[in-house]
Amino acid sequence: MTELSIIESIIEKLSINPEIKFERRNNSELEIFNKDKNGFNILLQLAQREHTLHFGTFHWHYDNNEEEIGEMMTHLVFGLTGIARVKEFSKNGKSYKWTLQVVDRDGNWYDNGTMAFMNLNFWTKAEIKYLQNNLLPEEIFF
């Protein structure tokens, strides 16, 4: 699948709902905007060697092969439909850690990965906020 066809395929699905705002920056970047402060923007960056998918600050890197492109597209669907959410930790109003969580069919949330900046303010209690999109129903993709 080429960079152009990946982005075209995603835009075709997004266009079903005119309320979804997105910007095609060029042939290799697509940004999908959240609906409100409880969601996160999604940025897809495609390159010849690897691709990057951002859920707000949380992100993954994927090799440019069929298997990893499939995994990237699955994660994208999870981010668009609310199957995935980002658990954001902050101290004194400054975010420092993000954990991606995925829900199973029984409604249980499981951690799928964590990214963090070094935070030496360990004596302060962390505030936790959950960011989740509900931009499209998953039936559109599956």
Side-chain angles (χ1 to χ4, degrees), residues 10 32 42 44 53 55 72-80:
I10 295 167
I32 305 163
I42 298 172
L44 177 62
L53 178 62
F55 286 179
M72 177 184 71
M73 296 299 281
T74 298
H75 283 140
L76 175 65
V77 171
F78 287 2
L80 289 168

Side-chain angles (χ1 to χ4, degrees), residues 28-127:
S28 60
E29 287 190 346
L30 177 68
E31 185 166 14
I32 305 163
F33 301 102
N34 60 7
K35 277 196 233 183
D36 55 39
K37 65 180 179 159
N38 298 318
F40 50 84
N41 289 345
I42 298 172
L43 175 62
L44 177 62
Q45 297 173 307
L46 306 175
Q48 196 159 27
R49 209 170 60 100
E50 74 171 8
H51 308 311
T52 308
L53 178 62
H54 300 260
F55 286 179
T57 302
F58 188 92
H59 67 279
W60 293 275
H61 296 272
Y62 304 89
D63 289 335
N64 190 3
N65 61 50
E66 190 174 328
E67 181 181 340
E68 293 213 10
I69 290 172
E71 186 177 331
M72 177 184 71
M73 296 299 281
T74 298
H75 283 140
L76 175 65
V77 171
F78 287 2
L80 289 168
T81 61
I83 294 172
R85 68 183 183 186
V86 176
K87 183 178 181 180
E88 182 179 79
F89 297 79
S90 63
K91 292 185 178 186
N92 300 323
K94 185 171 178 162
S95 301
Y96 70 94
K97 183 166 93 171
W98 303 264
T99 298
L100 182 83
Q101 297 184 317
V102 178
V103 69
D104 68 13
R105 299 229 182 255
D106 295 325
N108 302 306
W109 290 94
Y110 294 96
D111 292 351
N112 189 278
T114 298
M115 297 181 56
F117 296 131
M118 182 65 105
N119 187 322
L120 298 177
N121 189 2
F122 54 86
W123 57 86
T124 304
K125 182 175 168 65
E127 299 167 17

